[in-house]
Amino acid sequence: MICLVLSGSTIEENLLQVERNRPYIDIVELRVDLLEESELNQAAAFPSLIDLPVILTCRRQSDGGSYQKSERSRLALLSTLLEGSFAYIDLEEDVKKSLAEAQAKEKGITIIRSLHNFETVIADIYHKIAKMAALGDIPKVAVTPRSVNDLITLFRVKEELASVPQKSVLGMGDFGFPSRILYKKMGSMLTYCADKPLAPGQITARMMKELYRADQVDERTHLYALIGNPVLHSFSPQIHNTGFHGIKYNAIYVPIPVDSVRSFFALAEMLKIVGFSVTVPLKQHVLPYLGQITREVKQIGSCNTVVRKRGLFSGINTDYYGFLRPLEHAIETQSIQSALVVGAGGAARAVVWALRNHGVKVTILNRSAQKAQQLANETMASYDSLEHAHRYTEVNLVVQTTSLGMEGEHMGVDPIPSFDFQPSHIVYELVYRPRVTALLKRAQNGGSTLIYGLQMLIGQGMLQFEAFTGYHYPKRLEQQLDLEKE
Ligand code: ATR
């Protein structure tokens, strides 16, 4: 079940939240601790106003809630509200026998016995859950994983506590994010969502239902991941989950923040992850764990896509081919003889190798001469400093691979202001936010042909999708992605 946590301060606002999220949810949690005092007298009637089961909860501050009065008044409030037709009441694990508990039992309202920890994953988590279940209640544990290893502890709940049929398990914070999406893989009966996410790792009900289709995950669902750190704001889940749905493939793609590649491979083994994307800062770190790599991965020294083939993890680099895709025609017709590559970092490595492998003469311009020299030596290219950009106007192609021009601190910065763009140039920008960078704007004014960062981003994603599924990315969805990105 997908549960919407109602965060409104009034009953009216909560009713609006239910209405907005109605297509995506199965159950709601009414957080009376968030309600204004004057609204409390209407709270008992809330369940009769909506056609969904309601959990009654009044969170203390020590458990991340907002209720400030004494414990006695909290329990008295809950007891009064039990007049209402709530399906569940959430009572904390340390609440000893109370009137609210007795009333709930009498009325047949199921008790969810909850335990929160905002620091860590508690050491005796399995024991605690078993103990709470032994009371005849539904145990709920919301804990805070700080590493992939902690996440493994959470996913093991499923087999460790197979005998507890109904339980709710939740990993909070960024590292807990995968546990929210893959709640069924933990054996959790529900996952909590928000109308508007406020805390790290939280997600909207709409994303949970429409993008991840988390409630559809079953034993046969193929699992794919995105690993790196940070990963939670990536566009890749949009590409892959939409694509899987488009080809009716029972699969899900989940971002997993990773602090240790070794631990991730243990998690991959445990969850039977069949493929994953790799992003910063792990593109090099995964290499020692791969059973097989392509020539490009070896050359570039980085891998952004891993697929599992007959038990072997096999690494490819779709940045390489994604970069080449918009240039295919120009390369085939040999209209690109020479190129200027701005930058000498990870992205530049894929670009320079791709161009050199196709016989293009390359000059690398970089702030640090040493890094430029190193890449130039490896690829038999030349190098120079950014200030000398104006000397290279005879090239056919300019590729911008640095973070200069990107939204944020480098917004509006042009790394090669002395370069005079002309109609003969193809200008390829790897930055995709904003769509038109300062450099592209100048190139446009100079009449050059532009290639946008988004094209490479989507291109590498399509190729990754093919590697994952063996199918082409549905064309109609590709156009849709482009529009969403605008
Ligand atoms: P990526 O994987 O995106 O390529 P990277 O490997 O960190 O990231 O490489 C960043 C590139 O952007 C490098 O070429 C870097 O230049 P240096 O090698 O001199 O560090 C370049 N870069 C980043 N910030 C820059 C800045 N403020 N001015 C000039 N170049 C910059």
Side-chain angles (χ1 to χ4, degrees):
M1 291 193 289
I2 298 179
C3 178
L4 180 70
V5 180
L6 298 171
S7 59
S9 60
T10 64
I11 294 292
E12 197 185 337
E13 163 59 14
N14 283 335
L15 287 171
L16 286 174
Q17 289 193 4
V18 172
E19 208 173 296
R20 274 201 292 274
N21 292 281
R22 189 63 191 84
Y24 322 122
I25 57 180
D26 308 298
I27 181 170
V28 300
E29 178 179 50
L30 180 66
R31 287 279 303 275
V32 293
D33 57 300
L34 301 176
L35 288 176
E36 286 165 14
E37 187 85 32
S38 57
E39 296 284 311
L40 291 175
N41 56 359
Q42 299 174 55
F46 186 77
S48 62
L49 302 177
I50 63 170
D51 60 345
L52 285 170
V54 183
I55 305 172
L56 170 64
T57 301
C58 183
R59 260 307 155 252
R60 306 176 292 210
Q61 282 185 311
S62 56
D63 290 319
S66 296
Y67 195 78
Q68 296 186 356
K69 292 192 194 160
S70 72
E71 183 62 0
R72 230 171 102 177
S73 61
R74 190 176 75 99
L75 291 171
L77 172 64
L78 283 172
S79 163
T80 326
L81 295 179
L82 277 175
E83 272 172 40
S85 48
F86 290 95
Y88 302 86
I89 177 171
D90 184 307
L91 287 174
E92 293 74 7
E93 177 246 3
D94 60 339
V95 172
K96 298 287 174 270
K97 289 222 175 320
S98 62
L99 182 60
E101 180 179 334
Q103 277 174 333
K105 285 195 171 140
E106 202 180 294
K107 284 195 67 181
I109 296 176
T110 309
I111 298 173
I112 295 176
R113 200 52 81 163
S114 66
L115 173 64
H116 291 78
N117 191 308
F118 294 90
E119 297 303 316
T120 105
V121 170
I122 47 178
D124 53 350
I125 182 166
Y126 310 136
H127 176 68
K128 271 274 198 283
I129 295 175
K131 225 172 99 184
M132 289 191 264
L135 296 173
D137 304 336
I138 298 180
K140 171 189 175 184
V141 287
V143 291
T144 311
R146 299 281 179 194
S147 63
V148 172
N149 272 340
D150 282 349
L151 201 56
I152 291 177
T153 305
L154 287 188
F155 280 111
R156 274 183 53 208
V157 162
K158 185 165 184 173
E159 56 173 61
E160 292 284 335
L161 292 161
S163 60
V164 179
Q166 285 199 307
K167 55 193 169 290
S168 165
V169 185
L170 165 69
M172 299 184 285
D174 285 355
F175 278 105
F177 183 81
S179 74
R180 290 180 187 262
I181 307 288
L182 298 174
Y183 68 102
K184 288 180 129 188
K185 291 276 166 197
M186 286 189 305
S188 183
M189 65 184 258
L190 49 80
T191 186
Y192 291 86
C193 297
D195 181 51
K196 286 194 189 65
L198 296 171
Q202 273 185 356
I203 169 173
T204 62
R206 181 177 180 178
M207 279 200 30
M208 189 66 90
K209 178 84 175 182
E210 282 198 336
L211 177 64
Y212 289 104
R213 292 176 299 133
D215 55 332
Q216 306 287 310
V217 169
D218 58 28
E219 286 306 316
R220 301 224 296 266
T221 304
H222 294 85
L223 290 194
Y224 293 86
L226 162 66
I227 68 165
N229 204 0
V231 285
L232 298 192
H233 297 291
S234 165
F235 184 54
S236 297
Q238 224 89 26
I239 298 181
H240 294 297
N241 287 310
T242 309
F244 293 159
H245 194 35
I247 62 165
K248 299 198 164 45
Y249 177 41
N250 182 357
I252 184 170
Y253 180 93
V254 185
I256 304 184
V258 166
D259 60 325
S260 147
V261 173
R262 178 192 280 264
S263 305
F264 170 72
F265 274 89
L267 181 70
E269 209 55 57
M270 181 182 161
L271 294 179
K272 301 191 180 66
I273 291 174
V274 288
F276 55 93
S277 320
V278 188
T279 187
V280 178
L282 305 177
K283 289 184 183 185
Q284 287 88 38
H285 299 304
V286 293
L287 296 183
Y289 297 88
L290 303 177
Q292 201 179 319
I293 55 173
T294 58
R295 178 182 67 139
E296 299 82 48
V297 170
K298 195 163 178 201
Q299 287 178 328
I300 306 165
S302 98
C303 165
N304 79 328
T305 309
V306 177
V307 283
R308 193 168 197 164
K309 282 188 193 146
R310 289 178 226 92
L312 203 66
F313 284 110
S314 170
I316 58 179
N317 193 314
T318 66
D319 287 338
Y320 178 99
Y321 293 101
F323 164 72
L324 283 173
R325 223 169 71 143
L327 294 175
E328 256 162 29
H329 180 71
I331 284 181
E332 266 168 31
T333 54
Q334 304 204 329
S335 48
I336 302 177
Q337 297 292 326
S338 61
L340 197 61
V341 175
V342 182
R349 291 190 65 82
V351 167
V352 175
W353 273 111
L355 294 172
R356 293 295 299 127
N357 284 343
H358 287 84
V360 177
K361 185 171 166 289
V362 172
T363 303
I364 302 162
L365 303 186
N366 195 47
R367 175 179 60 178
S368 134
Q370 196 202 348
K371 264 172 79 181
Q373 183 180 17
Q374 196 180 337
L375 181 57
N377 286 349
E378 269 178 60
T379 54
M380 292 196 291
S382 336
Y383 70 97
D384 204 337
S385 69
L386 287 170
E387 292 70 37
H388 294 160
H390 60 277
R391 297 182 183 169
Y392 296 91
T393 44
E394 82 288 356
V395 296
N396 314 116
L397 169 73
V398 178
V399 189
Q400 200 302 107
T401 76
T402 75
S403 48
L404 298 185
M406 199 183 283
E407 248 174 37
E409 57 170 331
H410 297 313
M411 179 87 173
V413 181
D414 181 341
I416 46 169
S418 70
F419 189 91
D420 184 21
F421 289 105
Q422 291 158 17
S424 59
H425 295 135
I426 300 175
V427 182
Y428 198 149
E429 170 67 273
L430 264 50
V431 168
Y432 59 89
R433 273 192 198 126
R435 183 174 144 84
V436 184
T437 57
L439 174 131
L440 277 186
K441 186 97 215 129
R442 243 175 14 89
Q444 193 170 33
N445 293 339
S448 310
T449 304
L450 310 187
I451 303 180
Y452 299 95
L454 193 64
Q455 288 173 260
M456 169 161 167
L457 180 78
I458 292 181
Q460 69 78 24
M462 309 290 102
L463 292 165
Q464 205 163 55
F465 185 84
E466 275 183 45
F468 285 158
T469 64
Y471 287 89
H472 285 299
Y473 199 82
K475 267 274 175 269
R476 64 196 155 84
L477 296 181
E478 193 174 336
Q479 278 139 18
Q480 202 173 310
L481 284 176
D482 222 339
L483 287 176
E484 273 176 33
K485 222 37 209 174
E486 299 264 341

